Amino acid sequence: MRLIFRFYPLTMSIKLRLSTIITALSVTTAGMAQSFDRDDAPVVLTDVAIIGSKQNIERIPGSGAFITAEEFRAFGYDDINQIIRRTPGVYVRQEDGYGLFPNVSLRGVSTTRNGKITVMEDGILMAPAAYSDPAAYYTPNTGRMSGLEVLKGSSQIKYGPETTGGVMNYLSTPIPARDSGFVSLSYGSNADFRAHAWYGGQADTSWATLGWLVENVWRQTDGFKTTAAATGGGYAGSRETGFERNEPMVKFRLTFKSAVPQSLELKYGRTDIDADETYLGLTDADFRADPFRRYAASRYDNISTEQERLSARYTVQPTDALRLSLTAYKTEFARNWYKLDAAGVGPAGGFLNLSEALAGQFGAPILNVLKGGAEGRFRVRANNRTYGGEGLDATATWDFTAGEISHRLEFGARWHSDYGDRFQWDDIYTQAADGSAARTTAGVPGTQENRRGESDALALYVQDRITAGRLTLTPGIRFESIDYRDIRRSTAPATLSQITSVTGKTIDYYAPGLGLTWAQDDNVTWIAGVHRGVSPPGPGSSGNTLEEETSLGFEAGLRYNNRRDFSAELIAFHTAFKNLIVEQNAGGGGGAGQTSNIGKVNTTGLELALAYDPSLSRGWTVRNPWNFSFTWTRAVLANDVNATGNSGGVSESIFSGGAKGNRLPYIPRYQVALGTGLESGAWGLYLDSYYQPRTWASANNSPFLVNPDANAAAGLQPALDSRYGRVDAHLLVDVAVHYRLTELTRLKLACTNLLDWEYISSRVPIGPRPGAPRLVSLGIEHRF
């Protein structure tokens, strides 16, 4: 496999852009040390969090969640799907079993590749191309985080560009207040080895305090699937279906000893992943016989990714009431997913659609080819792409009072530029009757797809938290202006650098919102909110009629906290979507499909969260915390979806044939999570459980294409598709046992999917695929 990454080295390209800023900051602060009393401690200023703590949840004008590292490390989780599934109003679609490619939905938006939510790390946009291609295959690794924040509803006005769904902000390991470190090692099922270590501290100088942190997170596993041997005997099969991931990170922070509190923080991180992962699933019959099998045809499938991120954040507090922050950031991401795209019967057979082949459309011959028992051909596509993003983000917070009314007025301005570049090719492999195969045609890079999308965006917001006694109103408005360019290049081998077309368009939009909280007393707080959301269409919309997706969302509910041992939150919501955008890869497999609008969707739901620890009020020596969450959702189409689906590509859209009143794919009617723990002395026992009922995998709410006569008239196949139908109900129970060897060292034994529940977790990208089986790990962690 060849990886052709078209991007400039990050450290070189950003050095020039940041040098001017850093030099200016150094000049500004160089003369301030003399006015600082060395016996005083400098004020540490940070702007990485959007909620900050569980206690702050009560103050936000909409729905949100704050998840600490202790909560997910108790079970050894680093899969965002496992971590976030207990949060009400959040839906996940497991694809690979490890969370490498998460599909998260907030309150009923599309679950495709996190494409409808704003993903940040320490308050900085982290999608590879947040405007040009937000559904690209990267998300921060939760295993290296100190916490996770989730915002839904009217509380998300300050964050974009995706405001129809919500916000996920990953919090990286903070610089410690004193010299200290952490080491964690574990080994588990399928040769799953993990190592996580960090060390950092503070150093005093006459003019500043230097904080620093170095960290590395590494994981390697053989995977829980097996690529089956060819039925003809010409391929021996493989147990290597896992991945390796490595993530170093460094942080430096200067907290200046000046009369005016100010700090400068620099951060660099990198993520490398090599995964033997495939798009190809199984037939339903083969899945029920062995869900953890892979066909021999997927033997070449592999994705390799490289991601780098660099940021500099300057924060200053000129007065007690005014706080200013400026952040410069840059990310680069390159990946090549080399994977089976199509297959044909015989040495010269035409290539057939894999989703339809797994449904039995083309009979046994093509399935025999996929299993390695007959002559055939494979088209393996190198989905070679690069992405980049950079920007400047300025914020200001001003606290003031006007009579009896207090205000927290917040302003923000961000310039952001990003791109997505595709430089792809196809290789052809020929398979003999015994299942042995060899590459017979090597593709030329750039000849399958050769294009680039670019976005330049200016985002502005203003929000005022107005408090009068027990009542708090939070009006706000967000404005974005986005310039798109869609650049198409020649796919002819001799003229790959030739630009064949350039189209562009500009989108301006406003997203206002209003949140309300009323503290009835010290225990009860009522909340309500309304906001307009927007999901931009991306550069690919420049040459067609694709419009931005919009939404109007309402929420209302209450929070209760008895300040002893019990808290609760109950929120009802309704969101009306217009011009819902279905991403190009919603159906997987590539090809003729396009990102398109499918019309209107209405989502109504109820979110309930409870937390209770009877030991706190009863004086027990054994702690016994409980948590419970429940989400009920009705997410339905408000109009018929054109039977030709995504711009005419039936084989590309899981929304094809959707009728008014049909349920959205992968949004369950309800879901329930329950967790508890027992802690006594050196021992800890924890349980976490999650249940999701059977859910539709396609908007036609059927395993068949709707209206076959109309499809046939349009020249489209009226038959089965393996992505249509349902995904299985499943009950996942995880347990963990901790034993504290010393105050700083503990052993952890964890088991996920204790019941070893076998279920179809997804039917996309191409056919049924399983959730992870029972997995066991044993680890040790030490702080020093």
Side-chain angles (χ1 to χ4, degrees):
M1 180 182 65
R2 288 170 289 168
L3 305 180
I4 298 180
F5 294 156
R6 282 184 155 187
F7 68 100
Y8 297 104
L10 173 66
T11 52
M12 293 297 293
S13 60
I14 197 167
K15 186 182 297 183
L16 296 176
R17 294 182 179 271
L18 295 184
S19 60
T20 303
I21 299 170
I22 295 172
T23 300
L25 297 178
S26 300
V27 171
T28 303
T29 58
M32 298 184 179
Q34 295 177 346
S35 64
F36 186 84
D37 186 344
R38 295 185 185 182
D39 292 332
D40 293 337
V43 177
V44 177
L45 304 175
T46 61
D47 283 287
V48 301
I50 57 178
I51 299 176
S53 69
K54 286 185 177 296
Q55 291 72 28
N56 288 345
I57 292 292
E58 296 184 16
R59 306 176 191 173
I60 64 174
S63 177
F66 187 93
I67 305 170
T68 66
E70 279 301 309
E71 292 179 73
F72 51 81
R73 286 181 183 165
F75 298 91
Y77 294 156
D78 65 3
D79 179 349
I80 184 63
N81 297 298
Q82 294 172 313
I83 294 166
I84 206 171
R85 68 191 181 195
R86 68 164 65 171
T87 304
V90 178
Y91 321 90
V92 298
R93 173 170 62 81
Q94 183 63 268
E95 182 174 321
D96 59 272
Y98 290 106
L100 296 178
F101 314 113
N103 301 272
V104 177
S105 169
L106 303 181
R107 290 187 171 173
V109 298
S110 171
T111 60
T112 304
R113 297 279 187 269
N114 293 356
K116 294 299 182 67
I117 59 179
T118 296
V119 178
M120 303 188 295
E121 181 176 325
D122 294 336
I124 297 172
L125 287 179
M126 203 47 58
Y131 287 81
S132 297
D133 195 351
Y137 296 92
Y138 173 79
T139 191
N141 172 21
T142 322
R144 61 179 174 84
M145 299 298 165
S146 64
L148 177 70
E149 300 173 307
V150 181
L151 286 180
K152 299 164 288 179
S154 60
S155 59
Q156 59 178 302
I157 290 296
K158 297 191 295 181
Y159 311 100
E162 301 292 338
T163 56
T164 59
V167 179
M168 287 173 52
N169 185 38
Y170 294 76
L171 301 174
S172 65
T173 303
I175 296 173
R178 58 178 179 82
D179 290 358
S180 56
F182 170 82
V183 176
S184 174
L185 301 171
S186 71
Y187 184 80
S189 305
N190 306 309
D192 188 346
F193 185 67
R194 308 187 209 186
H196 180 191
W198 59 259
Y199 185 71
Q202 309 270 350
D204 244 354
T205 71
S206 60
W207 59 280
T209 297
L210 172 65
W212 57 277
L213 175 79
V214 293
E215 180 180 43
N216 200 79
V217 180
W218 177 80
R219 184 178 182 184
Q220 178 178 289
T221 176
D222 289 342
F224 56 81
K225 298 180 185 178
T226 299
T227 304
T231 54
Y235 169 66
S238 174
R239 277 284 292 115
E240 298 294 325
T241 61
F243 67 92
E244 180 178 7
R245 177 174 57 203
N246 190 54
E247 298 186 281
M249 190 266 285
V250 294
K251 282 185 182 180
F252 297 97
R253 183 179 63 231
L254 286 171
T255 304
F256 300 102
K257 296 181 176 180
S258 58
V260 176
Q262 54 191 305
S263 65
L264 173 65
E265 181 170 297
L266 304 176
K267 173 185 169 186
Y268 170 78
R270 178 183 176 93
T271 299
D272 293 276
I273 299 176
D274 187 87
D276 295 316
E277 187 53 65
T278 182
Y279 263 35
L280 187 65
L282 301 169
T283 67
D284 279 72
D286 285 342
F287 183 95
R288 299 307 177 189
D290 181 3
F292 308 115
R293 169 191 181 185
R294 276 175 45 174
Y295 294 140
S298 69
R299 75 192 81 169
Y300 304 108
D301 292 9
N302 173 274
I303 181 171
S304 179
T305 73
E306 299 175 5
Q307 196 262 6
E308 287 186 287
R309 50 199 175 272
L310 181 61
S311 63
R313 174 178 278 129
Y314 173 67
T315 307
V316 61
Q317 190 166 344
T319 70
D320 289 342
L322 181 62
R323 180 190 182 97
L324 307 173
S325 177
L326 176 65
T327 303
Y329 61 90
K330 186 175 178 70
T331 64
E332 294 281 1
F333 178 65
R335 59 93 157 174
N336 187 358
W337 198 330
Y338 191 73
K339 56 183 172 59
L340 184 68
D341 178 70
V345 178
F351 289 112
L352 302 174
N353 179 278
L354 295 173
S355 294
E356 295 170 353
L358 293 184
Q361 262 213 66
F362 311 116
I366 187 63
L367 295 177
N368 289 335
V369 172
L370 295 176
K371 297 175 184 179
E375 282 187 289
R377 297 197 303 157
F378 303 131
R379 184 172 68 204
V380 181
R381 178 158 298 166
N383 289 270
N384 186 74
R385 304 175 186 179
T386 58
Y387 305 88
E390 59 187 5
L392 284 172
D393 192 358
T395 64
T397 302
W398 180 31
D399 295 318
F400 65 95
T401 59
E404 298 295 319
I405 300 175
S406 65
H407 295 259
R408 168 159 286 188
L409 189 59
E410 297 177 90
F411 303 89
R414 183 182 67 209
W415 168 82
H416 178 91
S417 179
D418 64 36
Y419 70 89
D421 196 298
R422 303 188 181 196
F423 195 61
Q424 304 182 171
W425 67 93
D426 289 335
D427 291 339
I428 307 300
Y429 290 78
T430 299
Q431 178 174 275
D434 66 353
S436 60
R439 189 173 64 183
T440 51
T441 302
V444 176
T447 54
Q448 189 278 321
E449 191 167 19
N450 188 15
R451 63 184 175 92
R452 180 183 178 95
E454 298 177 342
S455 305
D456 292 322
L458 175 65
L460 306 170
Y461 74 81
V462 59
Q463 179 174 283
D464 190 11
R465 190 174 76 192
I466 307 167
T467 302
R470 294 182 177 273
L471 177 66
T472 299
L473 292 174
T474 309
I477 188 168
R478 182 177 190 85
F479 168 76
E480 297 228 17
S481 180
I482 310 169
D483 291 326
Y484 288 131
R485 286 173 303 282
D486 186 44
I487 303 167
R488 303 294 171 127
R489 300 182 293 250
S490 170
T491 55
T495 57
L496 290 172
S497 60
Q498 179 182 331
I499 295 176
T500 58
S501 70
V502 178
T503 57
K505 67 189 290 186
T506 298
I507 293 177
D508 297 329
Y509 70 80
Y510 294 88
L514 174 65
L516 176 151
T517 64
W518 180 58
Q520 176 179 319
D521 51 40
D522 290 342
N523 304 120
V524 178
T525 300
W526 295 86
I527 70 168
V530 57
H531 84 286
R532 181 177 190 262
V534 178
S535 178
S541 66
S542 299
N544 57 41
T545 58
L546 187 68
E547 300 180 32
E548 62 267 31
E549 173 186 309
T550 62
S551 66
L552 186 61
F554 303 87
E555 63 181 346
L558 64 88
R559 300 185 180 109
Y560 174 80
N561 191 329
N562 68 4
R563 311 297 172 184
R564 296 188 308 276
D565 58 5
F566 178 74
S567 64
E569 180 178 87
L570 177 65
I571 296 178
F573 67 88
H574 174 77
T575 306
F577 295 92
K578 183 180 179 181
N579 294 325
L580 187 77
I581 294 176
V582 176
E583 297 289 344
Q584 176 181 352
N585 60 356
Q594 299 178 32
T595 296
S596 64
N597 299 118
I598 64 163
K600 298 179 180 180
V601 168
N602 291 324
T603 302
T604 304
L606 191 66
E607 304 168 353
L608 173 65
L610 306 174
Y612 179 53
D613 189 342
S615 65
L616 296 178
S617 57
R618 289 166 171 75
W620 296 351
T621 57
V622 177
R623 283 208 60 200
N624 182 211
W626 290 80
N627 63 77
F628 172 82
S629 68
F630 173 83
T631 305
W632 170 82
T633 309
R634 185 176 185 270
V636 297
L637 296 170
N639 56 253
D640 293 344
V641 176
N642 189 316
T644 58
N646 266 354
S647 302
V650 145
S651 64
E652 285 301 315
S653 179
I654 59 174
F655 283 83
S656 298
K660 183 178 180 179
N662 281 12
R663 291 186 173 272
L664 261 62
Y666 297 101
I667 305 298
R669 285 181 169 84
Y670 66 92
Q671 56 187 16
V672 184
L674 175 67
T676 187
L678 293 170
E679 300 171 348
S680 178
W683 289 92
L685 173 64
Y686 307 93
L687 179 143
D688 191 55
S689 60
Y690 170 82
Y691 177 76
Q692 178 183 302
R694 192 171 60 159
T695 304
W696 286 114
S698 50
N700 59 23
N701 290 185
S702 167
F704 298 92
L705 295 184
V706 176
N707 197 354
D709 293 335
N711 288 342
L716 303 169
Q717 292 286 353
L720 290 165
D721 189 301
S722 62
R723 297 165 302 136
Y724 293 2
R726 293 183 184 267
V727 293
D728 295 334
H730 50 277
L731 172 63
L732 303 178
V733 178
D734 303 336
V735 295
V737 179
H738 295 188
Y739 179 71
R740 193 169 63 246
L741 296 173
T742 71
E743 287 299 316
L744 300 175
T745 306
R746 65 176 173 176
L747 295 174
K748 298 195 298 185
L749 175 66
C751 178
T752 57
N753 193 3
L754 177 68
L755 304 180
D756 205 20
W757 199 288
E758 295 182 356
Y759 62 100
I760 296 176
S761 64
S762 178
R763 287 183 173 270
V764 292
I766 303 174
R769 50 204 307 121
R774 181 190 298 125
L775 300 174
V776 180
S777 65
L778 177 64
I780 185 171
E781 62 180 37
H782 176 68
R783 297 181 181 273
F784 57 94

